[in-house]
Amino acid sequence: NAGVTQTPKFQVLKTGQSMTLQCAQDMNHEYMSWYRQDPGMGLRLIHYSVGAGITDQGEVPNGYNVSRSTTEDFPLRLLSAAPSQTSVYFCASSYNGLGLSGELFFGEGSRLTVL
Amino acid sequence: ELKVEQNPLFLSMQEGKNYTIYCNYSTTSDRLYWYRQDPGKSLESLFVLLSNGAVKQEGRLMASLDTKARLSTLHITAAVHDLSATYFCAGAPITSGTYKYIFGTGTRLKVLA
C-alpha cells in the first residue's frame, strides 16, 4: 500500500542548477499539493492541483513550476535553484470533494540543500 | 487569504499534566485539521473537524472547533512522553471551488518524565 511516494529523499544542488522532485500517489486522489517546511515557518503551500491539467499557485510559488498530466503524478520543478530554496519538501494528496473529510495524506518528504 | 496562528509555539510540560494548544484563523474556514509530526518524519492526520461545535477525541487528545470564534483547540489530558511531537493545525477554506489547505506554524510539544 504505497500511498504518496516522493523521490528523491535527499538532494544537494549547486546554485543555478535545476531539478525535479517527483510525487506519485496511488489512491486516485484528485487533489495534490506541494509544501515546503522551514524551521519556525510551519508548512507553506507552494502549488496545488485539483485534477489533471489544472494547477494553481499557493502561498510561495516563486521559483517553482508544476504540471499535472496524470491523476497519479505531480512533479515540482526548480528551474534555477537558490540557497533560499533549501528546505524539506512535502507532497500531499486528498479527496477534495465537498462532503468528504478531505484530510491530506503526506509523502515522506524530500530534503533539499542548495549550496 | 486565510492566516492560521498557533500558540504556544513551544510547550514543555510534565507528564501527567493537562494543557491546551490554540489555533486561531483569520477568515472563514469550512473545516479544520490537526496533524502530528515526529522529528524527521512526515505528518499524520489526527483529527478532522467539519462543523461548528465539532469535538473529536482520541486517547489523551481532544480537539474542538468554534467557527464563530475562528478557534480550534487541542487539549492534552495527563500528558505522557509519547505525545512529544510537533502539532499542526490547518484550515481549508473553499477557494475557486476547491479546498486550499493552509497550515499554522506548529506547536513543538515536549513532555518531560
Side-chain angles (χ1 to χ4, degrees):
Chain A
N1 200 6
V4 180
T5 303
Q6 289 182 235
T7 57
K9 288 186 168 47
F10 301 96
Q11 183 72 48
V12 178
L13 290 177
K14 295 180 179 178
T15 297
Q17 287 184 318
S18 62
M19 77 156 299
T20 299
L21 298 176
Q22 302 290 347
C23 176
Q25 53 89 13
D26 61 359
M27 298 175 281
N28 202 31
H29 286 168
E30 292 183 347
Y31 183 93
M32 296 186 74
S33 55
W34 278 100
Y35 290 86
R36 59 177 289 172
Q37 184 176 27
D38 303 292
M41 304 291 289
L43 277 79
R44 291 181 291 171
L45 181 63
I46 304 172
H47 286 285
Y48 64 101
S49 168
V50 297
I54 306 170
T55 64
D56 205 349
Q57 296 182 349
E59 302 168 277
V60 288
N62 293 342
Y64 306 95
N65 228 354
V66 292
S67 60
R68 184 96 179 268
S69 56
T70 67
T71 300
E72 294 77 19
D73 300 298
F74 190 45
L76 179 71
R77 297 183 186 85
L78 283 71
L79 304 176
S80 178
S84 60
Q85 294 179 303
T86 294
S87 188
V88 179
Y89 292 84
F90 286 98
C91 179
S93 70
S94 80
Y95 290 112
N96 202 231
L98 297 179
L100 300 174
S101 69
E103 63 187 308
L104 287 170
F105 293 83
F106 283 83
E108 293 299 307
S110 299
R111 185 175 294 273
L112 175 66
T113 301
V114 183
L115 303 176
Chain B
E1 185 87 356
L2 178 69
K3 301 292 182 187
V4 180
E5 292 185 353
Q6 290 181 237
N7 68 84
L9 298 182
F10 300 98
L11 177 55
S12 180
M13 56 191 297
Q14 297 288 330
E15 277 194 329
K17 298 293 186 182
N18 304 334
Y19 208 84
T20 300
I21 298 171
Y22 296 90
C23 175
N24 293 90
Y25 53 97
S26 59
T27 63
T28 301
S29 180
D30 301 277
R31 44 191 57 188
L32 199 289
Y33 302 86
W34 285 95
Y35 291 86
R36 169 181 171 145
Q37 185 182 37
D38 292 307
K41 302 293 186 181
S42 186
L43 283 81
E44 62 173 316
S45 177
L46 289 175
F47 298 110
V48 178
L49 303 169
L50 298 179
S51 61
N52 185 43
V55 178
K56 295 281 186 71
Q57 183 162 6
E58 180 73 33
R60 301 174 188 274
L61 300 178
M62 184 174 71
S64 65
L65 178 61
D66 182 344
T67 58
K68 294 179 181 178
R70 295 178 184 164
L71 171 69
S72 181
T73 60
L74 180 66
H75 186 72
I76 303 154
T77 301
V80 294
H81 180 72
D82 285 352
L83 290 179
S84 297
T86 299
Y87 293 86
F88 291 93
C89 64
I94 295 178
T95 302
S96 302
T98 189
Y99 294 107
K100 187 174 174 179
Y101 302 82
I102 303 297
F103 281 77
T105 52
T107 296
R108 187 183 298 177
L109 172 65
K110 186 172 184 180
V111 181
L112 306 173

